[in-house]
Amino acid sequence: MVDTQTQYQRIKQDIDKAVLEVMESSAFINGKPVHDFAANLADYIGVKHAIPCANGTDALQIAMMALELQPGDEVITPSFTYIATTEVIALLKLTPVFVEVDAKSFCMDPEKLETAITARTKAIVPVHLYGQAANMEKIMEIARQHKLYVIEDNAQAIGCNYVFSDGSKTKTGSIAQIGTTSFYPSKNLGAFGDGGAIFTNDDELARKLKMITNHGQSKQYYHDIVGCNSRLDSMQAAILDIKLKYLDEYIKARRKAADHYDSKFLDHPKLRIPHRAEFCEHVFHQYTLIIEGDAAYRDGLKQYLADNKIPAMIYYPVPGHKQGMFNSFNSSHVDLPVTNWLTERVISLPMHTELDKEQIDFIASKVLDYLNK
Ligand SMILES: Cc1ncc(COP(=O)(O)O)c(C=O)c1O
């Protein structure tokens, strides 16, 4: 699905040098690369504060802790997302309220969001799924009306430009009170291990977020609030700081690959190519098709591709509201027809920075062979 090996080979000299420098400095935790990367990342996203942490799941958890959400508070989130988004809600004893996604963009449907708000709702967590933004302009407007916090789960869309209706642009992750991201190796900005970050423009929130990532510590051995141990180590920060310089180039390569896939699949009656919402510039963390038919037909395609040595993935085969971990919330009965429909029809094809035309031609030809059988 990804080719991080070839991507590494292209920048090997710089990466190896940076890693060696960290080893020679022995400043493995909280070293200079962590501070340099945090500053460069904040600049790139266009926020006052970027707070590195251990992974994207922690980033979400720490965001909810900093907002002082209390047990029983309701947090509205899509069910059609990676489990990390919803898991941390339950982990903090908050109540996940699963909301429907838009059938075209796969992201939170703002109209359905309105109807999910109750007196207990405290926060909304939209997810910029597969590299495309949720409709943040509408979501923020609803949140303002109801005085709710918004945390953007930007794990899959780092570098995505959001375009407001007045034409102004900003990066996803910088729009809400807090944005979070993941540097899991296959992400658009991937570390050589785990990593994550939290974004905010609010100085007080930033101070709290920083403290929570480091045992609630205001100064060494003084722990004012409950926190956790969630630090990005110096080695990952040094690697990410180099890769950050290439992020726009990586996004360009992904968009080019997506364009080429699109050209192969355009107007085919048995599939739908990824929708490109007018309010953002898709960064194609995934290239995800909808296959017309049922789950068995879609799964048949996955098997046919595997037989031809082409990987493909179903993100995600079981939506959040049907996961066993949420049984106590009775969420399996929630009526989410679009989410259920998508779960049975989506399939993601290989998508990364190193894909060339021949590879895409081959993959597309096998997809079409199956559909045209
Ligand atoms: C949408 C989404 N949220 C959160 C996460 C969690 O990130 P991590 O794996 O770094 O904990 C991921 C990725 O894995 C993700 O795709």
PDB file of all heavy atoms in Angstrom, residues 121-135:
ATOM      1  N   THR A 121     -24.029  17.501  25.256  1.00  0.00           N
ATOM      2  CA  THR A 121     -22.935  17.573  24.279  1.00  0.00           C
ATOM      3  C   THR A 121     -21.920  18.629  24.701  1.00  0.00           C
ATOM      4  O   THR A 121     -22.289  19.749  25.052  1.00  0.00           O
ATOM      5  CB  THR A 121     -23.484  17.947  22.875  1.00  0.00           C
ATOM      6  OG1 THR A 121     -24.540  17.053  22.552  1.00  0.00           O
ATOM      7  CG2 THR A 121     -22.399  17.864  21.819  1.00  0.00           C
ATOM      8  N   LYS A 122     -20.636  18.253  24.655  1.00  0.00           N
ATOM      9  CA  LYS A 122     -19.578  19.204  25.013  1.00  0.00           C
ATOM     10  C   LYS A 122     -18.607  19.449  23.860  1.00  0.00           C
ATOM     11  O   LYS A 122     -17.994  20.510  23.792  1.00  0.00           O
ATOM     12  CB  LYS A 122     -18.786  18.679  26.228  1.00  0.00           C
ATOM     13  CG  LYS A 122     -19.540  18.779  27.539  1.00  0.00           C
ATOM     14  CD  LYS A 122     -19.543  20.201  28.050  1.00  0.00           C
ATOM     15  CE  LYS A 122     -20.698  20.582  28.935  1.00  0.00           C
ATOM     16  NZ  LYS A 122     -21.235  19.591  29.831  1.00  0.00           N
ATOM     17  N   ALA A 123     -18.434  18.438  23.013  1.00  0.00           N
ATOM     18  CA  ALA A 123     -17.418  18.595  21.961  1.00  0.00           C
ATOM     19  C   ALA A 123     -17.799  17.833  20.699  1.00  0.00           C
ATOM     20  O   ALA A 123     -18.592  16.887  20.737  1.00  0.00           O
ATOM     21  CB  ALA A 123     -16.067  18.098  22.486  1.00  0.00           C
ATOM     22  N   ILE A 124     -17.176  18.269  19.605  1.00  0.00           N
ATOM     23  CA  ILE A 124     -17.369  17.632  18.296  1.00  0.00           C
ATOM     24  C   ILE A 124     -15.973  17.271  17.779  1.00  0.00           C
ATOM     25  O   ILE A 124     -15.056  18.095  17.866  1.00  0.00           O
ATOM     26  CB  ILE A 124     -18.029  18.611  17.292  1.00  0.00           C
ATOM     27  CG1 ILE A 124     -19.329  19.193  17.869  1.00  0.00           C
ATOM     28  CG2 ILE A 124     -18.272  17.951  15.951  1.00  0.00           C
ATOM     29  CD1 ILE A 124     -19.827  20.415  17.093  1.00  0.00           C
ATOM     30  N   VAL A 125     -15.846  16.056  17.264  1.00  0.00           N
ATOM     31  CA  VAL A 125     -14.543  15.667  16.691  1.00  0.00           C
ATOM     32  C   VAL A 125     -14.738  15.266  15.221  1.00  0.00           C
ATOM     33  O   VAL A 125     -14.987  14.097  14.915  1.00  0.00           O
ATOM     34  CB  VAL A 125     -13.898  14.497  17.476  1.00  0.00           C
ATOM     35  CG1 VAL A 125     -12.488  14.207  16.935  1.00  0.00           C
ATOM     36  CG2 VAL A 125     -13.831  14.805  18.970  1.00  0.00           C
ATOM     37  N   PRO A 126     -14.642  16.232  14.307  1.00  0.00           N
ATOM     38  CA  PRO A 126     -14.689  15.859  12.893  1.00  0.00           C
ATOM     39  C   PRO A 126     -13.359  15.219  12.483  1.00  0.00           C
ATOM     40  O   PRO A 126     -12.316  15.551  13.042  1.00  0.00           O
ATOM     41  CB  PRO A 126     -14.892  17.198  12.170  1.00  0.00           C
ATOM     42  CG  PRO A 126     -14.484  18.251  13.129  1.00  0.00           C
ATOM     43  CD  PRO A 126     -14.486  17.677  14.512  1.00  0.00           C
ATOM     44  N   VAL A 127     -13.436  14.315  11.521  1.00  0.00           N
ATOM     45  CA  VAL A 127     -12.221  13.627  11.038  1.00  0.00           C
ATOM     46  C   VAL A 127     -12.046  13.979   9.563  1.00  0.00           C
ATOM     47  O   VAL A 127     -12.986  13.860   8.777  1.00  0.00           O
ATOM     48  CB  VAL A 127     -12.372  12.096  11.197  1.00  0.00           C
ATOM     49  CG1 VAL A 127     -11.127  11.378  10.708  1.00  0.00           C
ATOM     50  CG2 VAL A 127     -12.674  11.739  12.653  1.00  0.00           C
ATOM     51  N   HIS A 128     -10.844  14.405   9.210  1.00  0.00           N
ATOM     52  CA  HIS A 128     -10.564  14.711   7.797  1.00  0.00           C
ATOM     53  C   HIS A 128     -10.111  13.408   7.136  1.00  0.00           C
ATOM     54  O   HIS A 128      -8.913  13.145   7.007  1.00  0.00           O
ATOM     55  CB  HIS A 128      -9.507  15.811   7.697  1.00  0.00           C
ATOM     56  CG  HIS A 128      -9.885  17.057   8.434  1.00  0.00           C
ATOM     57  ND1 HIS A 128     -11.146  17.608   8.379  1.00  0.00           N
ATOM     58  CD2 HIS A 128      -9.170  17.873   9.259  1.00  0.00           C
ATOM     59  CE1 HIS A 128     -11.185  18.700   9.124  1.00  0.00           C
ATOM     60  NE2 HIS A 128     -10.013  18.874   9.672  1.00  0.00           N
ATOM     61  N   LEU A 129     -11.087  12.612   6.744  1.00  0.00           N
ATOM     62  CA  LEU A 129     -10.807  11.221   6.371  1.00  0.00           C
ATOM     63  C   LEU A 129     -10.172  11.081   4.985  1.00  0.00           C
ATOM     64  O   LEU A 129     -10.598  11.750   4.034  1.00  0.00           O
ATOM     65  CB  LEU A 129     -12.104  10.396   6.431  1.00  0.00           C
ATOM     66  CG  LEU A 129     -11.883   8.902   6.561  1.00  0.00           C
ATOM     67  CD1 LEU A 129     -11.409   8.522   7.964  1.00  0.00           C
ATOM     68  CD2 LEU A 129     -13.157   8.135   6.234  1.00  0.00           C
ATOM     69  N   TYR A 130      -9.218  10.187   4.901  1.00  0.00           N
ATOM     70  CA  TYR A 130      -8.525   9.807   3.651  1.00  0.00           C
ATOM     71  C   TYR A 130      -7.732  10.982   3.034  1.00  0.00           C
ATOM     72  O   TYR A 130      -7.257  10.871   1.911  1.00  0.00           O
ATOM     73  CB  TYR A 130      -9.510   9.307   2.582  1.00  0.00           C
ATOM     74  CG  TYR A 130     -10.356   8.108   2.938  1.00  0.00           C
ATOM     75  CD1 TYR A 130     -11.577   7.909   2.295  1.00  0.00           C
ATOM     76  CD2 TYR A 130      -9.948   7.157   3.868  1.00  0.00           C
ATOM     77  CE1 TYR A 130     -12.369   6.797   2.575  1.00  0.00           C
ATOM     78  CE2 TYR A 130     -10.735   6.049   4.161  1.00  0.00           C
ATOM     79  CZ  TYR A 130     -11.944   5.880   3.513  1.00  0.00           C
ATOM     80  OH  TYR A 130     -12.734   4.781   3.782  1.00  0.00           O
ATOM     81  N   GLY A 131      -7.654  12.118   3.720  1.00  0.00           N
ATOM     82  CA  GLY A 131      -6.912  13.252   3.167  1.00  0.00           C
ATOM     83  C   GLY A 131      -7.802  14.391   2.706  1.00  0.00           C
ATOM     84  O   GLY A 131      -7.337  15.351   2.104  1.00  0.00           O
ATOM     85  N   GLN A 132      -9.098  14.253   2.989  1.00  0.00           N
ATOM     86  CA  GLN A 132     -10.049  15.302   2.577  1.00  0.00           C
ATOM     87  C   GLN A 132     -10.722  15.907   3.811  1.00  0.00           C
ATOM     88  O   GLN A 132     -11.089  15.186   4.739  1.00  0.00           O
ATOM     89  CB  GLN A 132     -11.098  14.692   1.670  1.00  0.00           C
ATOM     90  CG  GLN A 132     -12.205  15.655   1.270  1.00  0.00           C
ATOM     91  CD  GLN A 132     -12.792  15.303  -0.065  1.00  0.00           C
ATOM     92  OE1 GLN A 132     -12.625  16.023  -1.020  1.00  0.00           O
ATOM     93  NE2 GLN A 132     -13.464  14.184  -0.130  1.00  0.00           N
ATOM     94  N   ALA A 133     -10.886  17.230   3.798  1.00  0.00           N
ATOM     95  CA  ALA A 133     -11.423  17.905   4.979  1.00  0.00           C
ATOM     96  C   ALA A 133     -12.925  17.684   5.128  1.00  0.00           C
ATOM     97  O   ALA A 133     -13.657  17.580   4.139  1.00  0.00           O
ATOM     98  CB  ALA A 133     -11.148  19.401   4.880  1.00  0.00           C
ATOM     99  N   ALA A 134     -13.361  17.650   6.396  1.00  0.00           N
ATOM    100  CA  ALA A 134     -14.793  17.749   6.690  1.00  0.00           C
ATOM    101  C   ALA A 134     -15.209  19.199   6.419  1.00  0.00           C
ATOM    102  O   ALA A 134     -14.350  20.093   6.317  1.00  0.00           O
ATOM    103  CB  ALA A 134     -15.023  17.391   8.149  1.00  0.00           C
ATOM    104  N   ASN A 135     -16.501  19.431   6.342  1.00  0.00           N
ATOM    105  CA  ASN A 135     -16.990  20.793   6.047  1.00  0.00           C
ATOM    106  C   ASN A 135     -16.851  21.669   7.305  1.00  0.00           C
ATOM    107  O   ASN A 135     -17.801  21.874   8.060  1.00  0.00           O
ATOM    108  CB  ASN A 135     -18.450  20.725   5.588  1.00  0.00           C
ATOM    109  CG  ASN A 135     -18.941  22.065   5.068  1.00  0.00           C
ATOM    110  OD1 ASN A 135     -18.432  23.115   5.478  1.00  0.00           O
ATOM    111  ND2 ASN A 135     -19.903  22.035   4.184  1.00  0.00           N
TER     112      ASN A 135
END
